[in-house]
Amino acid sequence: MERLSLPPADAWRPVRTVLGDIPYESLGITDAHNHVWIDPVPGADPAAPVLDQYCQIRDEIKLYREAGGASLLDCQPGGCGRNGNKLAELSDAAGVNIIACTGFHRQRYYAPQHWLFGASCERAAEFFARELSSALDETADRPKPVRAGFIKIALESAWDDTPQAALEGATAAAQQTGAMVEIHTEKGGLAEKVAIFFEDHGVSPTHLVLCHMDKRPDPGLHAELARFGAILEYDTFYRPKYQPESRLWTLIGQMVEAGLSDHVALATDMAESAMYATIGNGPGLASLPGEIKHRLAGLGISERSIQQMLGGNIARRLAGLD
Ligand SMILES: [Zn+2]
């Protein structure tokens, strides 16, 4: 992998990992959207995924590292199973940079009446900003608290079902802190609406990552969103129901061909333990730096475009560049 040349120090800020701040150029291969710990959440949807087998997860992350992975973004916000203490322990034990998030997931992953969904926009914003600047709630008592490195929010299928105060709180926290925002979309739905919503609330699309967009493989839309400034995250490599062979892989080729590999971030989003190699005999976290990278190279995609899609783009966005 070619080394990125650093812009002047005042143009970027360090990436906030669970073990402390590091320069963005040291992130290496980075999974832009994954899950390495989810505590069970009493009262949540019983079908919600749980990832709490410490030794297997640690070994899975080690396999990721051995395959060439250096960093990953954990996309579980607080209140729906995130455990910042475990994330710090896993990062330390497996030797991979983990970047945790604040924000909110879909409401089905929380206990009923979770406080955040009844909170005002101001209170939500204050909470997100505090997790970014001082401590994840559950790590506040540690001698060295863990801090969030980005904001992750989730859209429901319908805009009006998405909690509006929390959504506005996320725009305010992003504006105040300059943090990157990853946005879960339901199969790519509402992506254009949310990008405009953030811009109307003072947050440039150059701070946004729109997730699961390969479930809506419309190359014209993707090109437009990329030119608007958003990063598009793709992650259905091992989800046959989304026909990755004909959709995702074609889309990657189209984006590279259009010169837009600088606006694509690849991930494997393995919240279900069955997808882990160490737990479910699945493809596992190592597939991104392994099989997927290998296949990208085999398609004749340039080293530079591969580097961008496998970490370079997300690293720059975390650092507030672009
Ligand atoms: Zn996810």
Side-chain angles (χ1 to χ4, degrees):
M1 288 277 150
E2 82 187 75
R3 193 178 154 86
L4 298 169
S5 56
L6 277 179
D10 58 355
W12 59 279
R13 48 191 194 146
V15 173
R16 186 146 284 176
T17 80
V18 295
L19 297 181
D21 291 355
I22 62 171
Y24 78 93
E25 65 153 5
S26 60
L27 255 61
I29 293 186
T30 303
D31 192 312
H33 183 135
N34 227 313
H35 298 269
V36 292
W37 193 270
I38 306 174
D39 274 328
V41 182
D45 183 340
V50 171
L51 274 173
D52 63 352
Q53 293 164 268
Y54 181 84
C55 295
Q56 283 106 315
I57 295 170
R58 179 201 58 209
D59 292 349
E60 184 82 30
I61 303 173
K62 282 185 182 170
L63 291 173
Y64 175 71
R65 191 195 62 206
E66 283 159 18
S71 309
L72 64 87
L73 279 71
D74 183 273
C75 286
Q76 203 73 8
C80 60
R82 184 191 67 197
N83 186 328
N85 295 300
K86 294 291 183 194
L87 295 178
E89 213 178 313
L90 286 166
S91 174
D92 191 38
V96 165
N97 302 309
I98 298 178
I99 300 127
C101 65
T102 187
F104 61 92
H105 209 329
R106 297 185 64 199
Q107 289 175 81
R108 58 188 282 252
Y109 298 126
Y110 294 80
Q113 264 89 55
H114 181 69
W115 71 269
L116 182 63
F117 301 115
S120 66
C121 155
E122 292 75 17
R123 186 158 172 238
E126 187 272 330
F127 175 71
F128 301 149
R130 177 154 41 89
E131 289 209 314
L132 289 157
S133 59
S134 356
L136 302 184
D137 217 26
E138 70 274 20
T139 73
D141 294 334
R142 289 168 69 96
K144 192 175 175 232
V146 173
R147 296 185 288 186
F150 66 106
I151 302 171
K152 148 80 184 278
I153 65 168
L155 302 178
E156 303 287 347
S157 321
W159 185 260
D160 291 343
D161 292 338
T162 306
Q164 297 296 308
L167 190 58
E168 283 197 31
T171 65
Q175 204 185 22
Q176 188 191 324
T177 62
M180 181 188 96
V181 189
E182 282 212 7
I183 304 173
H184 165 96
T185 66
E186 280 295 299
K187 303 186 176 68
L190 303 171
E192 53 277 67
K193 185 168 170 83
V194 78
I196 291 166
F197 178 85
F198 268 79
E199 195 179 46
D200 287 347
H201 286 74
V203 181
S204 158
T206 59
H207 283 77
L208 306 182
V209 179
L210 299 166
C211 297
H212 318 311
M213 291 306 294
D214 49 325
K215 294 179 184 175
R216 187 182 170 192
D218 172 345
L221 171 75
H222 286 231
E224 205 173 319
L225 288 168
R227 292 194 182 105
F228 192 48
I231 281 182
L232 307 162
E233 181 266 295
Y234 303 160
D235 55 37
T236 60
F237 294 98
Y238 300 103
R239 296 176 190 276
K241 75 170 174 175
Y242 296 108
Q243 302 167 337
E245 286 302 320
S246 58
R247 294 179 174 195
L248 168 56
W249 283 102
T250 305
L251 184 60
I252 291 172
Q254 288 163 327
M255 292 299 276
V256 170
E257 189 70 22
L260 295 170
S261 62
D262 56 347
H263 283 83
V264 173
L266 304 179
T268 58
D269 190 18
M270 295 185 177
E272 294 87 11
S273 60
M275 295 186 81
Y276 269 53
T278 55
I279 302 175
N281 219 11
L285 302 185
S287 56
L288 189 80
E291 188 174 55
I292 294 169
K293 177 168 181 270
H294 186 75
R295 180 156 171 190
L296 291 167
L299 291 172
I301 296 174
S302 73
E303 177 87 353
R304 175 162 174 75
S305 293
I306 294 173
Q307 186 274 339
Q308 290 173 326
M309 297 189 288
L310 289 183
N313 295 334
I314 205 84
R316 290 179 60 83
R317 195 138 293 200
L318 286 164
L321 291 167
D322 298 333

